[in-house]
């Protein structure tokens, strides 16, 4: 969050990208992820995008615009991410958003996530990571939130988790090949 235009470096995950994502503008982070999907050979394979904070903003944005980019993204999980500013998600897609009550980051878009068939938002409280804004936005708090989601008996939450299983993203069926690759998205140095 401290990268300013005059201190820009190779990391595309900076404040400028945050602002571009909230504003619905093109950005190098999205371009890099789409390029990584192409390099990975994703064609008709189902794709789940998952992200924390800015990564979740990008995941939701990529799902919302998947048809425009020609990628088969059908599911997203966001953790501590503002996603309410998006116009909506395609029919048949699925978004599970986790938001800690003490985390201000999901509130930065200024609107609550809309109630929709495509998006389930789980708001939770935890003591993981201690007190304060940084603790509520950290991975430890969201790991506790994910455990609460797994244990939830709420029908909407249960259906969202069941859908992730049905689609093969959680607990792949026997005989299913699951692959993963690691890509690093960097900004090209400006001349």
């Amino acid at each position: 969050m401290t990268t300013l235009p005059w201190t820009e470096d190779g990391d595309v995950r900076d404040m400028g990208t945050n602002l571009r994502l909230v504003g619905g503008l093109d950005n190098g982070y999205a371009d890099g992820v789409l390029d990584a999907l192409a390099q990975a050979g994703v064609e008709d394979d189902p794709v789940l995008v998952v992200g924390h904070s800015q990564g979740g903003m990008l995941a939701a944005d990529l799902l919302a615009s998947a048809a425009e980019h020609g990628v088969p993204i059908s599911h997203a999980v966001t953790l501590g991410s503002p996603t309410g500013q998006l116009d909506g998600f395609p029919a048949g897609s699925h978004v599970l958003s986790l938001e800690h009550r003490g985390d201000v980051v999901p509130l930065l878009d200024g609107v609550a996530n809309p109630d929709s068939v495509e998006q389930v938002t789980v708001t939770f409280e935890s003591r993981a990571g201690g007190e304060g804004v940084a603790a509520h936005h950290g991975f430890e708090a969201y790991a506790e939130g994910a455990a609460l989601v797994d244990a939830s008996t709420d029908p909407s939450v249960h259906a969202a988790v069941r859908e992730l299983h049905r689609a093969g993203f959680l607990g792949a069926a026997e005989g299913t090949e699951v692959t993963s690759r690691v890509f690093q998205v960097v900004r090209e140095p400006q001349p």
Side-chain angles (χ1 to χ4, degrees), residues 30-42 181-185:
D31 294 341
V33 171
L34 292 169
D35 186 47
L37 289 170
Q39 287 181 43
V42 171
R181 297 183 184 185
V182 176
F183 294 89
Q184 182 178 11
V185 178

Side-chain angles (χ1 to χ4, degrees), residues 9-82:
D9 57 17
D11 192 351
V12 297
R13 299 166 303 150
D14 58 17
M15 185 56 77
T17 298
N18 277 334
L19 296 172
R20 295 184 75 75
L21 277 165
V22 170
L25 303 172
D26 291 338
N27 62 82
Y29 195 7
D31 294 341
V33 171
L34 292 169
D35 186 47
L37 289 170
Q39 287 181 43
V42 171
E43 292 176 1
D44 294 332
D45 301 321
V47 176
L48 162 69
V49 285
V50 179
H52 170 258
S53 196
Q54 184 184 78
M57 285 174 34
L58 178 62
D61 185 65
L62 288 174
L63 175 60
S65 62
E68 169 185 324
H69 297 295
V71 292
I73 297 171
S74 57
H75 295 70
V77 176
T78 68
L79 311 161
S81 308

Side-chain angles (χ1 to χ4, degrees), residues 30 38-39 54 61 72 97 101 114 119 130 137 169 175 191:
Q39 287 181 43
Q54 184 184 78
D61 185 65
S97 296
R101 285 195 198 283
Q119 185 173 21
H137 189 61
F169 298 120

Side-chain angles (χ1 to χ4, degrees), residues 50-127:
V50 179
H52 170 258
S53 196
Q54 184 184 78
M57 285 174 34
L58 178 62
D61 185 65
L62 288 174
L63 175 60
S65 62
E68 169 185 324
H69 297 295
V71 292
I73 297 171
S74 57
H75 295 70
V77 176
T78 68
L79 311 161
S81 308
T83 62
Q85 81 282 359
L86 294 169
D87 288 334
F89 298 101
S93 65
H94 301 275
V95 181
L96 176 58
S97 296
L98 279 67
E99 297 182 356
H100 190 292
R101 285 195 198 283
D103 186 357
V104 298
V105 174
L107 307 174
L108 294 177
D109 55 6
V111 295
N113 293 345
D115 289 330
S116 73
V117 172
E118 293 80 23
Q119 185 173 21
V120 173
T121 301
V122 177
T123 305
F124 66 94
E125 291 185 37
S126 75
R127 290 295 217 186

